[in-house]
Amino acid sequence: IGILLGKGLVRLVTQSINDLYFVVSVRSLDIAFGSLLKGILLGIGATFFAALKPAREATSAPARAVLSRSLLESNFIQRIPVISLTSVLFLLAGAALLWLPGTNIYSSYSGIVILVFGFTLLTPVTILLIVRMMTPFMGRALGIFGRMAARDIMTQLSRINVAIAALSLAVATAVGVGTMIDSFRSTVVDWLEARLQADIFISAPSSVARLNDGSISGDFLPRLDNVPGIREIDYYREIEVRTGDDVHYVRGIDIEEHNFSGYRFKAGNPDELWQKFMANEAVVVSETYAFHRNLNVGSMIEINTDRGEASFKIAGIYYDYASDLGIVAMNYSLFRRYYDDDTFSGISLFLKDDADLQQVMTAVEARKKPDEAVIVMSQRALLDTSIEIFDRTFIITNVLQILAILVAFIGILSAFMALQLERRREFGILRANGMTIRQIWKLVSIQTALMGFIAGVLSLPLGNLLAWVLIYIINKRSFGWTLQFQFRPDLLVQAVLLAVVAAILAGIYPAWRMAHTSPAIAMREE
């Protein structure tokens, strides 16, 4: 299954690499022996450690206690205060790791693991609180079956809490990652709409989306002088500059003051920035550039130029989500002072109010030479293309979310099957006392739905906590981007419904087995 899954995921990963980094073609699947060995060892190790507690329980408890389920549950309930206290300690340890200053991503991941583990240890006490609060309501709404379903969860807590924890963790992962992606997408769309103020954008083909490594001939701009309908033209040139072992992406911009407002600044005085920018007194850098080099407003940067190494003062730090590499932006006249490059990376056209967009685009296309590779796009087309690339990048994340839910589904199905074996005599007695197959179905369905609801409710705080950590700690320490947290109430409702539906579906087969087991066989003793 892992090999087949890897074969399918290669295509998605390759697409993201082609979009963002460099062009690559994967022609064959390389199956590493080490990966297969790790999978085998993980399978053996996980089952071995999972079996330790039940094995100890089976060998150390007296035979009479083993036959008494209630004694085992009583012992587990007595340990809940200790388990809850342990969970608090894990939560504090995880929070401390995440709160440590610096950019160490591994300590952040360790903090998430510890935080999640501590949160799952809160599952038993949370189940007790929710079930006790809901039992009167379920009794009034569903009668004796509602009360029995709630009570059965209490009497099987040591087994059921593991299944609920697994399902809640999977749903919380979906909530956390989904909220992070929605927040990222919302931030990027807002940024694009602020930056893409022109009506038409002209660019040269690039090898990947995040680089402007193509160029437009310097004589292309004069050809646009007689195109009717154009009100204003902005343009820029971006080049890669190596200074020692460091790589800088330097962008020279020719832009009008009212279009400069499309740059949203994280640091720097906006009222002074334009004057300093136009007077060639300073440069502005993107947030990721400043983050990776630990720079602030007023810092000096050394960059190689065609005139030798030059120093530039940073006047502002602006938000930019086009690339995680970072940009140094300067006035175009300052750029031309230091670099002998008269080509362009992009040209922006602002049209008159009465101009026809399609006619102007056709006229611009007509100005291209036969062998000239120039892309002409409208604002809407560029915005849609950018969002499409963004969505394509996170397809693999959506696949992994689905896998997490499937794993949890299998886990809760296994738990229900184990419960079925333990409760055969109980259901046999109920059947012998007159409970019908339909009523058995009803009882089990209510119980599984309640378990799913509890898992869904548990997933909401953990999911939003994971989203907060991913947005403000993991993403920040990995790339330096500042994202705006996007709270999605509809996603939370979907999470609870997903947990309920998954639990109900996982309970169908065990319910069928329970309902169709002969009462005489079920009550038979060894």
Side-chain angles (χ1 to χ4, degrees):
I1 293 174
I3 292 171
L4 292 175
L5 179 63
K7 189 174 182 179
L9 292 179
V10 160
R11 180 177 56 84
L12 299 177
V13 175
T14 302
Q15 181 65 65
S16 293
I17 293 174
N18 289 342
D19 284 340
L20 302 176
Y21 299 101
F22 49 82
V23 178
V24 62
S25 176
V26 181
R27 301 183 181 277
S28 62
L29 189 68
D30 182 22
I31 303 173
F33 174 75
S35 295
L36 300 180
L37 182 62
K38 283 189 289 186
I40 293 171
L41 294 177
L42 182 61
I44 295 173
T47 46
F48 174 77
F49 285 107
L52 282 179
K53 184 178 180 299
R56 180 178 177 277
E57 186 179 276
T59 54
S60 62
R64 180 179 177 185
V66 172
L67 296 176
S68 176
R69 181 73 215 168
S70 60
L71 182 59
L72 296 176
E73 291 299 328
S74 298
N75 291 336
F76 178 76
I77 291 176
Q78 289 175 4
R79 292 197 300 269
I80 286 180
V82 177
I83 295 173
S84 301
L85 179 61
T86 305
S87 74
V88 173
L89 297 177
F90 273 100
L91 290 173
L92 293 175
L97 269 177
L98 292 171
W99 209 259
L100 286 176
T103 58
N104 191 327
I105 197 66
Y106 297 105
S107 66
S108 303
Y109 286 140
S110 300
I112 287 182
V113 172
I114 295 173
L115 204 65
V116 168
F117 186 72
F119 206 95
T120 56
L121 289 178
L122 285 176
T123 303
V125 67
T126 307
I127 293 173
L128 286 177
L129 293 175
I130 293 177
V131 170
R132 284 174 179 171
M133 286 190 298
M134 292 192 63
T135 299
F137 168 77
M138 294 186 65
R140 289 192 297 269
L142 301 171
I144 188 173
F145 292 101
R147 290 193 297 272
M148 288 180 66
R151 188 175 66 246
D152 285 344
I153 290 178
M154 303 278 282
T155 58
Q156 305 287 332
L157 187 60
S158 65
R159 299 292 187 257
I160 286 178
N161 94 91
V162 178
I164 292 178
L167 183 58
S168 65
L169 180 56
V171 177
T173 302
V175 171
V177 175
T179 301
M180 184 271 291
I181 294 174
D182 286 341
S183 299
F184 202 162
R185 193 178 194 276
S186 175
T187 302
V188 169
V189 170
D190 289 344
W191 168 76
L192 284 170
E193 290 176 344
R195 286 288 293 273
L196 302 180
Q197 297 183 1
D199 299 292
I200 298 174
F201 294 89
I202 305 170
S203 62
S206 300
S207 57
V208 294
R210 71 172 185 167
L211 295 180
N212 290 310
D213 51 0
S215 61
I216 304 172
S217 173
D219 65 353
F220 188 86
L221 194 60
R223 289 180 241 158
L224 302 176
D225 289 342
N226 60 349
V227 175
I230 296 179
R231 171 175 54 87
E232 185 181 304
I233 299 178
D234 289 345
Y235 50 87
Y236 73 95
R237 176 59 175 155
E238 182 178 317
I239 60 173
E240 178 184 303
V241 178
R242 293 188 175 272
T243 305
D245 295 331
D246 200 2
V247 178
H248 307 267
Y249 290 87
V250 180
R251 180 181 295 173
I253 305 172
D254 186 285
I255 190 172
E256 298 296 328
E257 182 176 2
H258 56 273
N259 298 327
F260 194 69
S261 62
Y263 285 80
R264 296 177 176 176
F265 285 90
K266 178 180 181 181
N269 188 340
D271 297 330
E272 300 176 358
L273 279 173
W274 174 250
Q275 286 76 16
K276 292 181 178 180
F277 188 81
M278 289 303 295
N280 295 335
E281 296 176 359
V283 300
V284 294
V285 299
S286 66
E287 180 185 22
T288 52
Y289 183 91
F291 168 78
H292 290 305
R293 294 165 178 81
N294 195 27
L295 300 173
N296 297 297
V297 171
S299 299
M300 300 296 294
I301 53 177
E302 304 286 335
I303 302 178
N304 273 340
T305 72
D306 295 339
R307 311 286 178 266
E309 194 168 276
S311 298
F312 301 94
K313 185 177 183 179
I314 297 176
I317 299 172
Y318 65 93
Y319 295 108
D320 184 275
Y321 304 95
S323 170
D324 61 322
L325 301 173
I327 297 291
V328 178
M330 62 182 66
N331 189 10
Y332 187 76
S333 63
L334 181 63
F335 175 85
R336 292 289 285 126
R337 183 190 304 173
Y338 285 99
Y339 296 100
D340 300 324
D341 190 328
D342 61 352
T343 61
F344 304 108
S345 298
I347 301 173
S348 305
L349 306 181
F350 297 81
L351 305 186
K352 298 176 181 177
D353 294 337
D354 58 348
D356 183 272
L357 176 65
Q358 196 57 47
Q359 288 181 359
V360 176
M361 289 183 65
T362 303
V364 172
E365 291 277 2
R367 293 329 189 253
K368 294 193 303 183
K369 295 178 180 179
D371 59 343
E372 200 168 32
V374 175
I375 300 172
V376 181
M377 299 182 71
S378 67
Q379 180 198 47
R380 173 49 55 186
L382 181 56
L383 180 62
D384 292 343
T385 301
S386 302
I387 295 174
E388 180 185 350
I389 292 174
F390 178 91
D391 291 337
R392 210 158 52 211
T393 304
F394 284 99
I395 288 178
I396 188 170
T397 309
N398 296 330
V399 173
L400 296 177
Q401 284 180 279
I402 295 172
L403 287 175
I405 298 297
L406 288 176
V407 170
F409 177 83
I410 294 171
I412 200 168
L413 174 62
S414 302
F416 287 163
M417 292 298 295
L419 285 174
Q420 177 219 348
L421 293 175
E422 291 185 352
R423 301 179 64 190
R424 287 181 65 186
R425 292 185 66 240
E426 176 187 342
F427 281 101
I429 293 172
L430 292 175
R431 290 285 310 283
N433 279 276
M435 185 174 284
T436 64
I437 291 178
R438 182 177 179 181
Q439 290 172 329
I440 293 287
W441 270 96
K442 182 178 180 180
L443 176 61
V444 175
S445 297
I446 293 173
Q447 183 177 350
T448 53
L450 178 58
M451 291 172 62
F453 176 78
I454 295 172
V457 171
L458 278 168
S459 71
L460 300 185
L462 178 58
N464 281 281
L465 178 62
L466 287 175
W468 189 90
V469 172
L470 289 172
I471 290 171
Y472 293 113
I473 297 180
I474 300 298
N475 167 74
K476 190 70 176 177
R477 291 180 178 178
S478 299
F479 305 106
W481 283 318
T482 297
L483 306 181
Q484 304 302 318
F485 192 96
Q486 186 74 17
F487 184 73
R488 287 276 306 277
D490 58 321
L491 187 62
L492 305 185
V493 174
Q494 291 172 18
V496 176
L497 292 177
L498 174 63
V500 171
V501 171
I504 291 175
L505 291 177
I508 289 177
Y509 178 67
W512 181 83
R513 289 287 303 271
M514 293 176 187
H516 289 81
T517 299
S518 168
I521 296 176
M523 291 188 295
R524 185 177 298 162
E525 295 282 358
E526 291 291 341

